[in-house]
Amino acid sequence: MEKPSKDIQEFTRKWVEEVGVEQPSPNFVNNVMKQIEMNTSMAKQYKPLVSKRTWLVVAAIVMAGIALVYIFPSSEPAYLQAMLQEEIPRIKSPFVGMEVSKTLVYGIGCLALFLIQIPFLKRQFVR
C-alpha cells in the first residue's frame, strides 16, 4: 500500500519541478481589488415597491373622496331604511341558546393563535 502513495508523491514532485511555479503579475493584487470594487459598486440599489408618485395619487384620491363626502352629504334612501326595518327582525341567529364550555373556548383560542403564527414562522425560517 505504501508503494503507490510514494509513486504519486514522486510523480507530483517531478511534474512540479518540470512545470515550475507560476508567478502572478506585479499588479495582480491591484487588478483583483479593482474587480472587487467594480462588483460591489454594481450592487442593486433600493427601489421601493410603491413609488412616491403612486402614494401621492392614492392620497389625492382619498382626500378627494373625503372632501366629496363632506361637501355633498347624503342621507340613506327611504327604500333602504324601510328594508332594514322589515328584514332584520326576521333573521334569526343559529347560535341562540347554544352553550359553550370554557375548555372549548380556550382550545379554539389556542388553535387560532397557532394558525396565526404559522405564516410568521415560515417567513422566519425562509430567511
mmCIF file of all heavy atoms in Angstrom, residues 63-100:
data_model
loop_
_atom_site.group_PDB
_atom_site.id
_atom_site.type_symbol
_atom_site.label_atom_id
_atom_site.label_comp_id
_atom_site.label_asym_id
_atom_site.label_seq_id
_atom_site.Cartn_x
_atom_site.Cartn_y
_atom_site.Cartn_z
ATOM 1 N N MET A 63 -58.226 61.992 -0.263
ATOM 2 C CA MET A 63 -58.608 63.349 0.154
ATOM 3 C C MET A 63 -59.803 63.850 -0.650
ATOM 4 O O MET A 63 -60.704 64.499 -0.100
ATOM 5 C CB MET A 63 -57.412 64.305 0.011
ATOM 6 C CG MET A 63 -56.271 63.981 0.961
ATOM 7 S SD MET A 63 -56.745 63.996 2.678
ATOM 8 C CE MET A 63 -56.676 65.731 2.983
ATOM 9 N N ALA A 64 -59.828 63.564 -1.950
ATOM 10 C CA ALA A 64 -60.960 63.976 -2.783
ATOM 11 C C ALA A 64 -62.238 63.267 -2.338
ATOM 12 O O ALA A 64 -63.313 63.889 -2.270
ATOM 13 C CB ALA A 64 -60.669 63.675 -4.250
ATOM 14 N N GLY A 65 -62.136 61.993 -2.001
ATOM 15 C CA GLY A 65 -63.302 61.259 -1.513
ATOM 16 C C GLY A 65 -63.832 61.832 -0.207
ATOM 17 O O GLY A 65 -65.048 61.997 -0.035
ATOM 18 N N ILE A 66 -62.920 62.137 0.711
ATOM 19 C CA ILE A 66 -63.339 62.728 1.985
ATOM 20 C C ILE A 66 -63.980 64.087 1.755
ATOM 21 O O ILE A 66 -65.009 64.419 2.356
ATOM 22 C CB ILE A 66 -62.140 62.822 2.950
ATOM 23 C CG1 ILE A 66 -61.694 61.420 3.370
ATOM 24 C CG2 ILE A 66 -62.474 63.665 4.173
ATOM 25 C CD1 ILE A 66 -60.398 61.390 4.155
ATOM 26 N N ALA A 67 -63.383 64.880 0.878
ATOM 27 C CA ALA A 67 -63.939 66.203 0.588
ATOM 28 C C ALA A 67 -65.324 66.090 -0.047
ATOM 29 O O ALA A 67 -66.244 66.848 0.301
ATOM 30 C CB ALA A 67 -62.994 66.972 -0.333
ATOM 31 N N LEU A 68 -65.521 65.158 -0.959
ATOM 32 C CA LEU A 68 -66.831 64.995 -1.593
ATOM 33 C C LEU A 68 -67.896 64.562 -0.592
ATOM 34 O O LEU A 68 -69.036 65.037 -0.643
ATOM 35 C CB LEU A 68 -66.736 63.983 -2.740
ATOM 36 C CG LEU A 68 -66.029 64.475 -4.001
ATOM 37 C CD1 LEU A 68 -65.875 63.328 -4.990
ATOM 38 C CD2 LEU A 68 -66.785 65.621 -4.634
ATOM 39 N N VAL A 69 -67.527 63.667 0.323
ATOM 40 C CA VAL A 69 -68.489 63.244 1.340
ATOM 41 C C VAL A 69 -68.826 64.404 2.267
ATOM 42 O O VAL A 69 -69.978 64.565 2.695
ATOM 43 C CB VAL A 69 -67.934 62.037 2.137
ATOM 44 C CG1 VAL A 69 -68.768 61.741 3.365
ATOM 45 C CG2 VAL A 69 -67.864 60.817 1.241
ATOM 46 N N TYR A 70 -67.857 65.223 2.580
ATOM 47 C CA TYR A 70 -68.090 66.370 3.457
ATOM 48 C C TYR A 70 -68.918 67.448 2.758
ATOM 49 O O TYR A 70 -69.815 68.033 3.363
ATOM 50 C CB TYR A 70 -66.741 66.941 3.913
ATOM 51 C CG TYR A 70 -66.881 68.090 4.885
ATOM 52 C CD1 TYR A 70 -67.279 67.855 6.198
ATOM 53 C CD2 TYR A 70 -66.617 69.395 4.495
ATOM 54 C CE1 TYR A 70 -67.408 68.893 7.089
ATOM 55 C CE2 TYR A 70 -66.748 70.449 5.388
ATOM 56 C CZ TYR A 70 -67.144 70.193 6.675
ATOM 57 O OH TYR A 70 -67.283 71.224 7.558
ATOM 58 N N ILE A 71 -68.619 67.696 1.482
ATOM 59 C CA ILE A 71 -69.326 68.757 0.739
ATOM 60 C C ILE A 71 -70.737 68.322 0.370
ATOM 61 O O ILE A 71 -71.689 69.101 0.475
ATOM 62 C CB ILE A 71 -68.527 69.142 -0.521
ATOM 63 C CG1 ILE A 71 -67.207 69.808 -0.112
ATOM 64 C CG2 ILE A 71 -69.331 70.082 -1.416
ATOM 65 C CD1 ILE A 71 -66.248 70.022 -1.257
ATOM 66 N N PHE A 72 -70.894 67.098 -0.076
ATOM 67 C CA PHE A 72 -72.199 66.597 -0.517
ATOM 68 C C PHE A 72 -72.665 65.454 0.386
ATOM 69 O O PHE A 72 -72.659 64.294 -0.014
ATOM 70 C CB PHE A 72 -72.117 66.079 -1.962
ATOM 71 C CG PHE A 72 -71.662 67.101 -2.954
ATOM 72 C CD1 PHE A 72 -70.418 66.996 -3.550
ATOM 73 C CD2 PHE A 72 -72.458 68.185 -3.275
ATOM 74 C CE1 PHE A 72 -69.983 67.923 -4.463
ATOM 75 C CE2 PHE A 72 -72.028 69.117 -4.197
ATOM 76 C CZ PHE A 72 -70.793 69.000 -4.788
ATOM 77 N N PRO A 73 -73.115 65.762 1.601
ATOM 78 C CA PRO A 73 -73.577 64.679 2.472
ATOM 79 C C PRO A 73 -74.876 64.086 1.922
ATOM 80 O O PRO A 73 -75.693 64.780 1.331
ATOM 81 C CB PRO A 73 -73.807 65.377 3.817
ATOM 82 C CG PRO A 73 -74.045 66.790 3.475
ATOM 83 C CD PRO A 73 -73.258 67.070 2.232
ATOM 84 N N SER A 74 -75.031 62.807 2.110
ATOM 85 C CA SER A 74 -76.255 62.163 1.631
ATOM 86 C C SER A 74 -76.890 61.391 2.770
ATOM 87 O O SER A 74 -76.218 60.860 3.642
ATOM 88 C CB SER A 74 -75.939 61.226 0.471
ATOM 89 O OG SER A 74 -75.126 60.180 0.922
ATOM 90 N N SER A 75 -78.187 61.326 2.739
ATOM 91 C CA SER A 75 -78.890 60.537 3.748
ATOM 92 C C SER A 75 -79.249 59.193 3.136
ATOM 93 O O SER A 75 -79.217 59.019 1.918
ATOM 94 C CB SER A 75 -80.150 61.272 4.205
ATOM 95 O OG SER A 75 -81.011 61.454 3.093
ATOM 96 N N GLU A 76 -79.621 58.245 3.975
ATOM 97 C CA GLU A 76 -79.971 56.929 3.469
ATOM 98 C C GLU A 76 -81.255 57.017 2.656
ATOM 99 O O GLU A 76 -82.193 57.715 3.039
ATOM 100 C CB GLU A 76 -80.162 55.948 4.625
ATOM 101 C CG GLU A 76 -78.891 55.576 5.328
ATOM 102 C CD GLU A 76 -79.134 54.535 6.402
ATOM 103 O OE1 GLU A 76 -80.226 53.960 6.439
ATOM 104 O OE2 GLU A 76 -78.213 54.317 7.193
ATOM 105 N N PRO A 77 -81.333 56.313 1.559
ATOM 106 C CA PRO A 77 -82.573 56.307 0.774
ATOM 107 C C PRO A 77 -83.711 55.687 1.585
ATOM 108 O O PRO A 77 -83.496 54.824 2.442
ATOM 109 C CB PRO A 77 -82.242 55.437 -0.441
ATOM 110 C CG PRO A 77 -80.757 55.371 -0.483
ATOM 111 C CD PRO A 77 -80.269 55.592 0.899
ATOM 112 N N ALA A 78 -84.903 56.099 1.301
ATOM 113 C CA ALA A 78 -86.068 55.634 2.058
ATOM 114 C C ALA A 78 -86.293 54.136 1.884
ATOM 115 O O ALA A 78 -86.665 53.447 2.825
ATOM 116 C CB ALA A 78 -87.305 56.408 1.610
ATOM 117 N N TYR A 79 -86.031 53.610 0.678
ATOM 118 C CA TYR A 79 -86.248 52.182 0.460
ATOM 119 C C TYR A 79 -85.274 51.337 1.280
ATOM 120 O O TYR A 79 -85.608 50.266 1.767
ATOM 121 C CB TYR A 79 -86.165 51.828 -1.017
ATOM 122 C CG TYR A 79 -84.801 51.966 -1.628
ATOM 123 C CD1 TYR A 79 -83.895 50.909 -1.597
ATOM 124 C CD2 TYR A 79 -84.379 53.147 -2.236
ATOM 125 C CE1 TYR A 79 -82.638 51.022 -2.137
ATOM 126 C CE2 TYR A 79 -83.125 53.274 -2.782
ATOM 127 C CZ TYR A 79 -82.255 52.204 -2.740
ATOM 128 O OH TYR A 79 -81.009 52.323 -3.278
ATOM 129 N N LEU A 80 -84.045 51.814 1.460
ATOM 130 C CA LEU A 80 -83.069 51.076 2.261
ATOM 131 C C LEU A 80 -83.481 51.058 3.723
ATOM 132 O O LEU A 80 -83.397 50.031 4.389
ATOM 133 C CB LEU A 80 -81.677 51.697 2.096
ATOM 134 C CG LEU A 80 -80.541 51.030 2.855
ATOM 135 C CD1 LEU A 80 -80.360 49.592 2.362
ATOM 136 C CD2 LEU A 80 -79.258 51.801 2.701
ATOM 137 N N GLN A 81 -83.956 52.191 4.196
ATOM 138 C CA GLN A 81 -84.388 52.282 5.585
ATOM 139 C C GLN A 81 -85.595 51.378 5.830
ATOM 140 O O GLN A 81 -85.660 50.670 6.834
ATOM 141 C CB GLN A 81 -84.718 53.734 5.913
ATOM 142 C CG GLN A 81 -84.688 54.058 7.376
ATOM 143 C CD GLN A 81 -84.797 55.551 7.586
ATOM 144 O OE1 GLN A 81 -85.414 56.261 6.785
ATOM 145 N NE2 GLN A 81 -84.207 56.027 8.656
ATOM 146 N N ALA A 82 -86.535 51.352 4.909
ATOM 147 C CA ALA A 82 -87.715 50.501 5.062
ATOM 148 C C ALA A 82 -87.321 49.028 5.018
ATOM 149 O O ALA A 82 -87.854 48.211 5.779
ATOM 150 C CB ALA A 82 -88.724 50.814 3.964
ATOM 151 N N MET A 83 -86.391 48.666 4.132
ATOM 152 C CA MET A 83 -85.956 47.284 4.011
ATOM 153 C C MET A 83 -85.248 46.827 5.285
ATOM 154 O O MET A 83 -85.451 45.709 5.762
ATOM 155 C CB MET A 83 -85.017 47.131 2.812
ATOM 156 C CG MET A 83 -84.609 45.688 2.552
ATOM 157 S SD MET A 83 -83.549 45.503 1.140
ATOM 158 C CE MET A 83 -82.028 46.158 1.771
ATOM 159 N N LEU A 84 -84.422 47.697 5.855
ATOM 160 C CA LEU A 84 -83.705 47.332 7.073
ATOM 161 C C LEU A 84 -84.656 47.109 8.237
ATOM 162 O O LEU A 84 -84.448 46.218 9.055
ATOM 163 C CB LEU A 84 -82.677 48.410 7.421
ATOM 164 C CG LEU A 84 -81.446 48.488 6.518
ATOM 165 C CD1 LEU A 84 -80.577 49.672 6.904
ATOM 166 C CD2 LEU A 84 -80.652 47.208 6.570
ATOM 167 N N GLN A 85 -85.709 47.890 8.324
ATOM 168 C CA GLN A 85 -86.659 47.741 9.419
ATOM 169 C C GLN A 85 -87.468 46.461 9.279
ATOM 170 O O GLN A 85 -87.861 45.861 10.267
ATOM 171 C CB GLN A 85 -87.590 48.950 9.480
ATOM 172 C CG GLN A 85 -86.898 50.191 9.963
ATOM 173 C CD GLN A 85 -87.815 51.410 9.941
ATOM 174 O OE1 GLN A 85 -88.952 51.337 9.469
ATOM 175 N NE2 GLN A 85 -87.312 52.525 10.452
ATOM 176 N N GLU A 86 -87.736 46.031 8.054
ATOM 177 C CA GLU A 86 -88.555 44.837 7.849
ATOM 178 C C GLU A 86 -87.730 43.544 7.894
ATOM 179 O O GLU A 86 -88.181 42.544 8.415
ATOM 180 C CB GLU A 86 -89.278 44.917 6.504
ATOM 181 C CG GLU A 86 -90.341 45.975 6.455
ATOM 182 C CD GLU A 86 -90.998 46.059 5.087
ATOM 183 O OE1 GLU A 86 -90.759 45.153 4.272
ATOM 184 O OE2 GLU A 86 -91.719 47.020 4.848
ATOM 185 N N GLU A 87 -86.552 43.529 7.304
ATOM 186 C CA GLU A 87 -85.793 42.297 7.122
ATOM 187 C C GLU A 87 -85.012 41.849 8.352
ATOM 188 O O GLU A 87 -84.889 40.666 8.600
ATOM 189 C CB GLU A 87 -84.816 42.447 5.946
ATOM 190 C CG GLU A 87 -85.488 42.625 4.609
ATOM 191 C CD GLU A 87 -86.286 41.400 4.197
ATOM 192 O OE1 GLU A 87 -85.836 40.281 4.477
ATOM 193 O OE2 GLU A 87 -87.352 41.575 3.610
ATOM 194 N N ILE A 88 -84.486 42.763 9.106
ATOM 195 C CA ILE A 88 -83.615 42.391 10.222
ATOM 196 C C ILE A 88 -84.344 41.579 11.296
ATOM 197 O O ILE A 88 -83.819 40.570 11.755
ATOM 198 C CB ILE A 88 -82.911 43.630 10.819
ATOM 199 C CG1 ILE A 88 -81.893 44.134 9.812
ATOM 200 C CG2 ILE A 88 -82.226 43.285 12.143
ATOM 201 C CD1 ILE A 88 -81.162 45.359 10.217
ATOM 202 N N PRO A 89 -85.543 41.944 11.711
ATOM 203 C CA PRO A 89 -86.197 41.139 12.738
ATOM 204 C C PRO A 89 -86.510 39.705 12.286
ATOM 205 O O PRO A 89 -86.602 38.802 13.109
ATOM 206 C CB PRO A 89 -87.487 41.892 13.032
ATOM 207 C CG PRO A 89 -87.206 43.288 12.632
ATOM 208 C CD PRO A 89 -86.265 43.187 11.484
ATOM 209 N N ARG A 90 -86.644 39.435 11.003
ATOM 210 C CA ARG A 90 -86.964 38.105 10.500
ATOM 211 C C ARG A 90 -85.766 37.156 10.584
ATOM 212 O O ARG A 90 -85.923 35.954 10.676
ATOM 213 C CB ARG A 90 -87.429 38.166 9.046
ATOM 214 C CG ARG A 90 -88.754 38.827 8.886
ATOM 215 C CD ARG A 90 -89.166 38.738 7.445
ATOM 216 N NE ARG A 90 -90.270 39.639 7.186
ATOM 217 C CZ ARG A 90 -90.695 39.960 5.991
ATOM 218 N NH1 ARG A 90 -90.111 39.446 4.926
ATOM 219 N NH2 ARG A 90 -91.705 40.771 5.835
ATOM 220 N N ILE A 91 -84.562 37.687 10.523
ATOM 221 C CA ILE A 91 -83.357 36.851 10.538
ATOM 222 C C ILE A 91 -83.074 36.416 11.966
ATOM 223 O O ILE A 91 -82.950 37.237 12.866
ATOM 224 C CB ILE A 91 -82.141 37.615 9.965
ATOM 225 C CG1 ILE A 91 -82.416 38.029 8.535
ATOM 226 C CG2 ILE A 91 -80.885 36.764 10.067
ATOM 227 C CD1 ILE A 91 -81.358 38.946 7.952
ATOM 228 N N LYS A 92 -82.977 35.098 12.170
ATOM 229 C CA LYS A 92 -82.702 34.562 13.496
ATOM 230 C C LYS A 92 -81.298 33.981 13.516
ATOM 231 O O LYS A 92 -80.858 33.347 12.566
ATOM 232 C CB LYS A 92 -83.717 33.490 13.856
ATOM 233 C CG LYS A 92 -85.106 34.028 14.039
ATOM 234 C CD LYS A 92 -86.056 32.954 14.497
ATOM 235 C CE LYS A 92 -87.451 33.527 14.666
ATOM 236 N NZ LYS A 92 -88.402 32.506 15.100
ATOM 237 N N SER A 93 -80.613 34.162 14.604
ATOM 238 C CA SER A 93 -79.260 33.651 14.748
ATOM 239 C C SER A 93 -79.292 32.149 15.016
ATOM 240 O O SER A 93 -80.086 31.685 15.856
ATOM 241 C CB SER A 93 -78.553 34.372 15.889
ATOM 242 O OG SER A 93 -77.299 33.790 16.107
ATOM 243 N N PRO A 94 -78.487 31.366 14.336
ATOM 244 C CA PRO A 94 -78.463 29.916 14.595
ATOM 245 C C PRO A 94 -77.793 29.562 15.928
ATOM 246 O O PRO A 94 -77.860 28.429 16.385
ATOM 247 C CB PRO A 94 -77.679 29.358 13.420
ATOM 248 C CG PRO A 94 -76.821 30.474 12.966
ATOM 249 C CD PRO A 94 -77.603 31.728 13.253
ATOM 250 N N PHE A 95 -77.133 30.524 16.554
ATOM 251 C CA PHE A 95 -76.397 30.255 17.785
ATOM 252 C C PHE A 95 -77.180 30.619 19.043
ATOM 253 O O PHE A 95 -76.636 30.588 20.143
ATOM 254 C CB PHE A 95 -75.063 31.009 17.771
ATOM 255 C CG PHE A 95 -74.197 30.656 16.601
ATOM 256 C CD1 PHE A 95 -73.971 31.566 15.588
ATOM 257 C CD2 PHE A 95 -73.634 29.397 16.514
ATOM 258 C CE1 PHE A 95 -73.182 31.232 14.498
ATOM 259 C CE2 PHE A 95 -72.842 29.058 15.427
ATOM 260 C CZ PHE A 95 -72.624 29.975 14.423
ATOM 261 N N VAL A 96 -78.462 30.954 18.913
ATOM 262 C CA VAL A 96 -79.270 31.310 20.077
ATOM 263 C C VAL A 96 -79.456 30.057 20.937
ATOM 264 O O VAL A 96 -79.825 28.992 20.449
ATOM 265 C CB VAL A 96 -80.633 31.881 19.622
ATOM 266 C CG1 VAL A 96 -81.551 32.075 20.811
ATOM 267 C CG2 VAL A 96 -80.425 33.180 18.895
ATOM 268 N N GLY A 97 -79.203 30.169 22.210
ATOM 269 C CA GLY A 97 -79.370 29.058 23.135
ATOM 270 C C GLY A 97 -78.213 28.078 23.159
ATOM 271 O O GLY A 97 -78.254 27.084 23.880
ATOM 272 N N MET A 98 -77.174 28.328 22.420
ATOM 273 C CA MET A 98 -76.032 27.421 22.382
ATOM 274 C C MET A 98 -75.092 27.742 23.540
ATOM 275 O O MET A 98 -74.750 28.895 23.775
ATOM 276 C CB MET A 98 -75.289 27.590 21.053
ATOM 277 C CG MET A 98 -74.164 26.656 20.847
ATOM 278 S SD MET A 98 -73.553 26.899 19.171
ATOM 279 C CE MET A 98 -71.996 26.137 19.288
ATOM 280 N N GLU A 99 -74.682 26.708 24.273
ATOM 281 C CA GLU A 99 -73.773 26.905 25.391
ATOM 282 C C GLU A 99 -72.422 26.282 25.046
ATOM 283 O O GLU A 99 -72.355 25.179 24.511
ATOM 284 C CB GLU A 99 -74.334 26.254 26.650
ATOM 285 C CG GLU A 99 -75.584 26.929 27.156
ATOM 286 C CD GLU A 99 -76.096 26.312 28.437
ATOM 287 O OE1 GLU A 99 -75.319 25.579 29.101
ATOM 288 O OE2 GLU A 99 -77.251 26.557 28.777
ATOM 289 N N VAL A 100 -71.350 27.001 25.368
ATOM 290 C CA VAL A 100 -70.002 26.541 25.059
ATOM 291 C C VAL A 100 -69.197 26.521 26.355
ATOM 292 O O VAL A 100 -69.219 27.487 27.128
ATOM 293 C CB VAL A 100 -69.330 27.479 24.023
ATOM 294 C CG1 VAL A 100 -67.930 27.010 23.700
ATOM 295 C CG2 VAL A 100 -70.168 27.576 22.768
#
